Amino acid sequence: MRVAAVHRHFDRDGSGAIDFDEFLHAVRGRLAPSRRKLVVQAFYGLDAMGNGDGVLTVADLAPLYDTSKHPDVAAGRID
């Protein structure tokens, strides 16, 4: 799956950025306080890989994904 497709899945309002609420909505069910703490840490950890502005953009996430090993990419069906 391409990074842009993953980003579109998380970007529920179509703003081009993933804010914390969108991120949380995409990865949660009902969160216990301890689980919420881990989700918050994951979000801000990903955000720190970008520009630390509290939103996740495709540019923030793209360096974290290597799709070259995906079977469809390896087979030349997608790039």
Side-chain angles (χ1 to χ4, degrees), residues 22-42:
E22 289 171 321
F23 179 79
L24 189 60
H25 178 76
V27 299
R28 73 167 174 184
R30 274 233 186 263
L31 294 180
S34 59
R35 185 168 179 214
R36 180 177 167 76
K37 181 179 177 180
L38 289 173
V39 170
V40 169
Q41 289 174 337

Side-chain angles (χ1 to χ4, degrees), residues 1 5 12 20 22-23 29 33 38 44 46 51 55 57 59 61 69 71-72 75 77-78:
M1 183 179 284
R12 297 180 58 83
F20 180 75
E22 289 171 321
F23 179 79
L38 289 173
Y44 286 109
L46 289 170
N51 61 7
V55 295
T57 64
L61 299 176
K69 305 296 185 214
D72 288 337
R77 289 187 287 272
I78 59 174

Side-chain angles (χ1 to χ4, degrees), residues 45-75:
L46 289 170
D47 189 36
M49 301 299 260
N51 61 7
D53 64 354
V55 295
L56 299 175
T57 64
V58 171
D60 293 339
L61 299 176
L64 304 174
Y65 291 94
D66 176 8
T67 59
S68 65
K69 305 296 185 214
H70 187 282
D72 288 337
V73 172

